[in-house]
Amino acid sequence: MPAYRLHEGERVVLREALSKIAVLGGCEWVGAMRGDPAASIAIALEVLPIANITLQVDLALSAVLLNALDGNAAAALMLSHLLRQTKLDHPFGKELAVSWLVSNLRDALKTRKPVARKGGRPKATIVRDTTAVSLGLGA
């Protein structure tokens, strides 16, 4: 599913599923299953290149996905990269990759830091994202 179709409900289900998985793959795997963004990216790099979706690949990408859904920019970029580099048996593979890149850019715009004004306190910057990006995925 593209990034914009995944919400809190999917994040809760994914977090619950990953919390119940016991792994014997080292510190990175344990950290990734517990929600550590750097560990999830490390295990995702270990499964590259992805030729088949195995249990190991599925768990690695699920861990990255959870961190991306939690708003981690590095995880969102990694997910976009992984989806772009993997030959998916899906008609919208490129659109999936782009959806995570767009999601990351939107999150970056929402979290811009205030710019300091000369001689005073920083002026707050409010960014409202009301643009819609069509990914050609239908209604």
Side-chain angles (χ1 to χ4, degrees):
M1 291 173 68
Y4 65 88
R5 293 218 175 168
L6 297 171
H7 302 290
E8 183 63 23
E10 289 83 5
R11 185 168 68 170
V12 168
V13 169
L14 184 57
R15 178 174 283 114
E16 181 70 20
L18 289 179
S19 73
K20 293 180 180 181
I21 295 173
V23 293
L24 299 172
C27 293
E28 286 89 10
W29 277 95
V30 172
M33 294 302 111
R34 290 185 179 160
D36 178 5
S40 70
I41 291 170
I43 63 168
L45 289 171
E46 288 177 9
V47 300
L48 290 176
I50 300 170
N52 297 307
I53 304 297
T54 63
L55 179 59
Q56 183 181 15
V57 169
D58 188 28
L59 288 174
L61 297 185
S62 294
V64 174
L65 172 61
L66 180 57
N67 286 296
L69 289 173
D70 282 343
N72 184 275
L77 287 173
M78 178 55 121
L79 195 56
S80 177
H81 174 74
L82 290 167
L83 289 168
R84 194 177 72 243
Q85 297 299 318
T86 304
K87 293 188 186 294
L88 298 173
D89 187 21
H90 191 284
F92 301 112
K94 288 181 184 177
E95 288 82 355
L96 288 172
V98 169
S99 78
W100 284 102
L101 188 58
V102 169
S103 174
N104 190 50
L105 292 172
R106 280 192 181 138
D107 286 348
L109 289 173
K110 289 178 187 175
T111 59
R112 288 181 55 187
K113 294 184 179 181
V115 177
R117 292 185 295 165
K118 186 176 180 179
R121 296 171 58 192
K123 181 179 179 184
T125 302
I126 299 173
V127 178
R128 294 186 182 170
D129 182 14
T130 58
T131 58
V133 177
S134 174
L135 297 175
L137 301 178

